[in-house]
């Protein structure tokens, strides 16, 4: 919902268009082509201009969206998807705070603009942080319909859409111009939060000087981070599908609920197809249960010889409209699996699951947080090479294509919201909570059907010992559970077991710790005692399973010191080994996972603690292994052997470089 954000927006904020968004109505199905649906990607080069004016509002004052952006002044070519920060040579753009403007023209197929039975939707995968979308159309005569406001959205990391059918179907059309203004300013009430620090001492700073401060440890990359696309549906269409699954002996149960828009009179048929395309169950109507005898379950990677089995749910809609019958088709991958938590175990399909994996970031050279297929495929190849069976989307929801690959490869996901850096009491206020609840709704709506997602994490390292944290997390977790009763909910803490006011409400305790890194520098000999005490205190207090959700050490690839010194590859290995000794004891009791911080080095704000970013990766930012990657690889494959649940005598082995070796 659009709200005036105290302070920050007053200087950098949007012109309020007076139109709150009905964000949470309707579905957010991933746009897939089908017999009734087409899609057109608008990725590539866009025109771009940052508003460097003092108040950052010149773009709105001069209405840059009313004419091609290049007429407003100099523009740059900007790739989409990408962050804008690192592609240029202008240092001012790298650290820019305020409004930037993206624009491109799209030519639409004639039938999209002439067939009133077609619904045309503009979808933006992620615009960080605040976006206003304006569209203009050019008629055959070369006459532009002035910019029409089509959407606004708060928050990067999650998609939003606008139905632009009316706009593109009101006469012969030659072009559609799309302008997206994006503001990356973070306030105490955004998610993640931040503050703007104004410097008023004119003996030290120029007039009007300000910087953006944050309490999280990654660079606040901004821009159009994921694909922008247009897609079509018929005017009566399948708007949303919710799937939950269960298992009764060897019968897989697929519960479905389908939401239709654009017609009240319709028939629905659903078919569940196996991997060979054979229908194994079928049903009719908007909700029901499909039963699959001898179902192939969705198993995590390295837990079964055929992990990640995916069925396809084919939904067929026939709707009656004033103009006659309309059909829509949508196919959704479905994994049949169960998730449950006991006092000391995390169960997938009734079997104990141990998370041996990583924390990641969406981060790479040049593109920043921009989606990139080669990078994604490389990362999944590395994960499988490593023998990792899980990751956490630290510290925000990742691209939908990432989640799809997790479903396909059996990589289990703890899906985390952008609730990171919640450090001030202000950010635990009702205003923040309200927004956080909405973000969870958007996130659950987007990711609810991924079998890979086994748990929601509502936040990372919030100030959970501050007084308002109790109510905040109680409400947030209850809301998330109400949205999705089928998955456990957690948040990741670094508070002490005595002081944390949010942990009473979580299903699994996720704890970060950096023994011998952020204190007791260089003294790895204290790790075992401190870590064991940490686990024992948490377990004694709560009797809930625990995940070591972060641990690690800053390591500059190529630095070697023996005996180990901080920042060397040997220190990283040594520190990990100390952790593993304790994890190996406690995983026999109640510790259900270990996630290294971090998969790869990543960019952060500049500070004396960070040498061009955070170097706790076991891979470099360019995805080359440090020594610790080999150590973890050996460990993870060994752990995989212990959690192998199938009857087959052949167990997974880490041989050579193939991630597929069994
Ligand atoms: C943490 C944070 C993570 C940081 C990491 C570090 O506890 O959750 O965002 O990057 O520590 O390296 O300090």
């Amino acid at each position: 919902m659009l709200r005036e954000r105290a302070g920050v927006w007053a200087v950098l904020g949007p012109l309020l268009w007076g139109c709150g968004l009905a964000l949470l109505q309707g579905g957010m199905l991933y746009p897939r082509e089908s017999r009734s649906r087409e899609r057109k990607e608008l990725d590539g080069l866009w025109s771009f201009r940052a508003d460097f004016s003092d108040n950052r509002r010149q773009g709105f004052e001069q209405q840059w969206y009313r004419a091609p952006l290049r007429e407003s002044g100099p523009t740059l070519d900007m790739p989409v998807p990408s962050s804008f920060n690192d592609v240029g040579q202008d240092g001012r753009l790298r650290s820019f705070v305020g409004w930037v403007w993206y624009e491109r023209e799209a030519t639409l197929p004639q039938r999209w603009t002439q067939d009133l039975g077609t619904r045309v939707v503009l979808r933006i995968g992620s615009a960080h942080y605040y976006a206003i979308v304006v569209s203009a159309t050019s008629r055959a005569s070369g006459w532009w319909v002035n910019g029409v406001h089509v959407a606004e959205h708060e928050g990067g990391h999650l998609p939003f859409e606008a139905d632009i059918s009316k706009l593109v179907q009101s006469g012969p059309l030659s072009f559609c111009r799309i302008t997206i203004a994006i503001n990356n300013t973070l306030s105490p009430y955004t998610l993640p939060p931040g503050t703007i620090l104004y410097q008023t001492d004119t003996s030290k700073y120029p007039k009007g000087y300000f910087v953006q401060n944050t309490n999280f440890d990654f660079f606040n990359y901004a821009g159009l981070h994921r694909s922008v696309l247009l897609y079509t549906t018929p005017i009566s269409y399948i708007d949303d599908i919710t799937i939950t699954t269960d298992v009764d002996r060897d019968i897989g149960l697929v519960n479905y609920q389908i939401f239709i828009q654009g017609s009240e009179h319709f028939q629905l048929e659903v078919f569940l197809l196996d991997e060979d395309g054979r229908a194994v169950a079928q049903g009719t109507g908007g909700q029901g249960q499909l039963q699959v005898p001898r179902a192939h379950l969705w198993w995590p990677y390295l837990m079964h010889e055929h992990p990640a089995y995916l069925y396809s749910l084919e939904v067929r809609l026939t709707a009656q409209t004033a103009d006659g019958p309309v059909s829509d088709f949508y196919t959704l991958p479905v994994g049949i699996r169960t998730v449950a938590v006991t006092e000391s175990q995390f169960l997938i399909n009734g079997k104990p699951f141990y998370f041996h994996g990583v924390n990641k970031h969406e981060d790479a050279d040049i593109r920043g947080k921009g989606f990139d297929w080669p990078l994604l495929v490389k990362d999944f190849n590395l994960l499988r090479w490593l023998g990792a069976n899980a990751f956490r989307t630290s510290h925000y929801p990742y691209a939908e294509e990432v989640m799809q690959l997790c479903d396909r490869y059996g990589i289990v996901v703890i899906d985390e919201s952008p609730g990171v850096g919640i450090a001030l009491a202000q950010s635990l206020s009702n205003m923040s909570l309200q927004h956080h609840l909405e973000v969870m709704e958007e996130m659950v709506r987007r990711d609810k059907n991924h079998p890979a997602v086994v748990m929601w994490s509502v936040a990372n390292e919030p100030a959970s010992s501050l007084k308002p944290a109790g109510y905040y997390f109680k409400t947030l977790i209850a809301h998330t559970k109400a949205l999705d009763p089928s998955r456990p909910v957690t948040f990741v803490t670094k508070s002490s077991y005595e002081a944390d006011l949010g942990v009473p409400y979580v299903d699994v305790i996720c704890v970060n710790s950096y023994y011998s890194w952020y204190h007791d520098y260089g003294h790895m000999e204290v790790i075992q005692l401190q870590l064991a005490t940490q686990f024992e205190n948490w377990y004694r207090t709560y009797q809930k399973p625990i995940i070591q959700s972060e641990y690690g050490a800053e390591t500059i690839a190529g630095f070697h010191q023996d005996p180990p010194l901080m920042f060397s590859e040997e220190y990283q290995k040594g520190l990990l080994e100390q952790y593993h000794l304790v994890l190996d004891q406690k995983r026999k009791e109640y510790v259900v996972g270990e996630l290294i911080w971090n998969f790869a080095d990543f960019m952060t704000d500049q500070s004396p603690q960070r040498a061009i970013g955070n170097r706790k990766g076991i891979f470099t930012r360019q995805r080359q292994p440090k020594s610790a990657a080999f150590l973890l690889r050996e460990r993870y494959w060994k752990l995989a052997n212990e959690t192998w649940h199938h009857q087959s005598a052949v167990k997974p082995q880490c041989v050579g470089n193939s991630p597929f070796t069994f």
Side-chain angles (χ1 to χ4, degrees):
M1 293 280 260
L2 183 58
R3 280 174 298 264
E4 180 77 43
R5 302 277 185 203
V8 178
W9 295 129
V11 177
L12 301 170
L15 296 187
L16 298 177
W17 294 74
C19 129
L21 288 182
L23 273 181
L24 306 170
Q25 287 168 11
M28 193 51 73
L29 290 176
Y30 185 72
R32 293 175 194 280
E33 287 182 328
S34 75
R35 275 183 280 166
S36 55
R37 294 169 174 236
E38 291 174 278
R39 56 180 264 174
K40 180 180 167 67
E41 254 138 56
L42 300 181
D43 296 348
L45 289 187
W46 287 53
S47 288
F48 174 91
R49 188 171 176 198
D51 186 341
F52 283 106
S53 63
D54 285 348
N55 67 3
R56 304 289 201 254
R57 296 175 71 129
Q58 198 181 63
F60 290 100
E61 286 159 4
Q62 297 180 352
Q63 302 186 325
W64 288 357
Y65 49 88
R66 290 206 164 236
L69 193 57
R70 61 179 179 277
E71 290 177 21
S72 74
T75 56
L76 302 173
D77 282 338
M78 188 55 70
V80 173
S82 177
S83 301
F84 63 73
N85 310 77
D86 285 352
V87 295
Q89 287 302 99
D90 181 351
R92 291 180 315 153
L93 188 57
R94 185 172 190 280
S95 51
F96 182 80
V97 180
W99 287 99
V100 298
W101 293 73
Y102 282 78
E103 179 212 81
R104 74 159 273 174
E105 284 174 7
T107 318
L108 274 52
Q110 214 173 37
R111 63 185 177 285
W112 292 20
T113 62
Q114 292 185 355
D115 174 7
L116 299 186
T118 296
R119 185 173 151 263
V120 183
V121 182
L122 172 67
R123 188 184 217 258
I124 290 142
S126 158
H128 188 72
Y129 174 80
Y130 195 97
I132 299 178
V133 184
V134 180
S135 185
T137 47
S138 159
R139 304 299 167 201
S141 57
W143 172 67
W144 285 89
V145 173
N146 283 333
V148 176
H149 168 270
V150 296
E152 281 185 35
H153 185 256
E154 177 174 350
H157 321 296
L158 288 165
F160 61 102
E161 297 185 339
D163 181 340
I164 59 165
S165 317
K166 282 210 176 76
L167 191 77
V168 298
Q169 290 170 349
S170 49
L173 179 101
S174 29
F175 293 113
C176 165
R177 188 175 65 232
I178 296 161
T179 309
I180 308 179
I182 300 181
N183 194 325
N184 59 353
T185 312
L186 300 178
S187 83
Y189 309 102
T190 57
L191 214 60
T195 47
I196 294 288
L197 177 67
Y198 293 94
Q199 297 288 5
T200 49
D201 181 346
T202 49
S203 69
K204 291 190 184 148
Y205 300 96
K207 196 165 161 280
Y209 188 87
F210 65 88
V211 287
Q212 170 84 75
N213 285 337
T214 58
N215 279 304
F216 53 83
D217 183 36
F218 54 92
F219 190 71
N220 189 34
Y221 279 114
L224 289 172
H225 284 155
R226 298 177 192 156
S227 285
V228 178
L229 54 88
L230 293 166
Y231 73 92
T232 63
T233 71
I235 39 165
S236 299
Y237 60 97
I238 301 157
D239 182 42
D240 200 8
I241 304 171
T242 303
I243 299 292
T244 56
T245 62
D246 209 341
V247 182
D248 181 7
R249 280 153 300 164
D250 70 340
I251 303 173
L253 306 175
V254 177
N255 305 305
Y256 64 88
Q257 204 174 356
I258 301 166
F259 300 88
I260 302 303
Q261 287 286 346
S263 175
E264 298 200 333
H265 307 286
F266 55 82
Q267 287 89 49
L268 274 168
E269 288 178 289
V270 294
F271 298 87
L272 193 72
L273 311 181
D274 67 13
E275 283 190 350
D276 299 320
R278 277 189 300 261
V280 292
Q282 69 187 73
T284 52
Q287 72 182 80
Q289 184 179 75
L290 303 178
Q291 302 201 350
V292 189
R294 292 176 305 285
H296 298 281
L297 301 189
W298 187 95
W299 287 96
Y301 175 54
L302 298 182
M303 205 169 167
H304 191 273
E305 64 197 351
H306 190 153
Y309 193 97
L310 289 176
Y311 291 90
S312 300
L313 186 79
E314 222 179 79
V315 180
R316 300 180 192 171
L317 164 73
T318 312
Q320 279 70 49
T321 70
D323 298 325
V326 166
S327 301
D328 190 21
F329 305 91
Y330 191 89
T331 302
L332 183 76
V334 169
I336 302 177
R337 57 109 186 89
T338 62
V339 170
V341 171
T342 71
E343 261 191 16
S344 59
Q345 287 177 317
F346 196 98
L347 304 174
I348 295 185
N349 299 332
K351 306 284 185 193
F353 177 73
Y354 187 75
F355 296 77
H356 44 88
V358 304
N359 291 277
K360 287 185 96 258
H361 261 300
E362 289 186 319
D363 176 271
D365 286 329
I366 303 171
R367 54 193 60 56
K369 292 203 175 303
F371 178 79
D372 183 50
W373 275 114
L375 179 75
L376 183 62
V377 173
K378 178 72 178 172
D379 280 5
F380 273 87
N381 284 334
L382 288 175
L383 286 170
R384 293 185 300 163
W385 173 89
L386 196 63
N389 64 1
F391 67 78
R392 172 163 68 116
T393 67
S394 42
H395 296 307
Y396 36 80
Y398 293 175
E400 287 157 289
E401 293 79 1
V402 178
M403 311 308 277
Q404 289 161 9
L405 281 196
C406 288
D407 290 345
R408 282 235 318 251
Y409 295 143
I411 305 292
V412 166
V413 178
I414 301 174
D415 201 355
E416 186 158 280
S417 88
V420 56
I422 302 177
L424 306 172
Q426 258 174 307
S427 305
L428 290 165
S429 62
N430 281 342
M431 185 152 132
S432 291
L433 176 59
Q434 184 54 34
H435 178 52
H436 207 150
L437 297 176
E438 288 163 10
V439 171
M440 289 316 301
E441 287 179 31
E442 284 186 54
M443 210 174 132
V444 172
R445 177 175 65 170
R446 193 196 74 163
D447 289 347
K448 63 188 171 190
N449 293 325
H450 289 288
V453 174
V454 299
M455 181 154 64
W456 304 108
S457 163
V458 297
N460 177 68
E461 296 190 354
S464 47
S465 52
L466 292 185
K467 204 158 165 240
Y471 174 73
Y472 190 98
F473 284 99
K474 182 177 179 190
T475 312
L476 186 58
I477 290 171
H479 186 65
T480 309
K481 279 173 179 280
L483 292 168
D484 177 10
S486 77
R487 291 180 177 89
V489 182
T490 189
F491 74 91
V492 172
T493 184
K494 67 165 180 187
S495 301
S496 90
Y497 75 101
E498 288 162 303
D500 198 301
L501 300 172
V503 165
Y505 309 106
V506 303
D507 296 306
V508 174
I509 301 177
C510 289
V511 195
N512 296 345
S513 64
Y514 286 91
Y515 301 125
S516 280
W517 189 260
Y518 286 122
H519 42 82
D520 300 300
Y521 316 135
H523 290 286
M524 292 194 273
E525 65 276 13
V526 302
I527 293 177
Q528 288 191 49
L529 176 62
Q530 294 185 0
L531 183 61
T533 309
Q534 167 204 271
F535 286 142
E536 283 154 19
N537 284 337
W538 279 111
Y539 194 72
R540 198 184 49 250
T541 314
Y542 288 108
Q543 293 92 52
K544 293 179 185 180
I546 303 176
I547 294 178
Q548 181 67 42
S549 40
E550 284 181 30
Y551 69 109
E554 210 83 16
T555 308
I556 314 261
F559 274 25
H560 291 286
Q561 289 290 329
D562 190 30
L565 297 184
M566 291 175 84
F567 294 97
S568 69
E569 297 203 21
E570 289 72 19
Y571 193 87
Q572 188 181 34
K573 272 175 66 180
L575 184 144
L576 265 49
E577 277 165 341
Q578 291 301 307
Y579 265 80
H580 296 162
L581 289 171
V582 180
L583 286 163
D584 279 339
Q585 289 162 21
K586 301 297 179 192
R587 71 189 168 83
K588 299 195 181 91
E589 300 172 40
Y590 45 75
V591 170
V592 296
E594 55 188 83
L595 304 175
I596 184 77
W597 190 264
N598 187 285
F599 172 72
D601 293 347
F602 59 91
M603 190 49 70
T604 63
D605 266 347
Q606 298 180 68
S607 83
Q609 279 83 36
R610 296 285 179 259
I612 314 191
N614 186 310
R615 304 294 191 115
K616 295 195 187 73
I618 54 162
F619 297 101
T620 64
R621 203 181 190 207
Q622 296 70 38
R623 277 42 181 185
Q624 295 307 320
K626 302 179 191 173
S627 311
F630 296 96
L631 175 90
L632 271 188
R633 182 178 192 231
E634 216 179 298
R635 173 170 177 78
Y636 284 178
W637 282 87
K638 211 170 85 207
L639 290 171
N641 248 300
E642 289 175 28
T643 47
W644 181 250
H645 279 294
H646 204 244
Q647 303 308 319
S648 156
V650 192
K651 289 191 171 186
Q653 279 171 33
C654 152
V655 179
N657 285 325
S658 165
F660 306 108
T661 308
F662 285 97

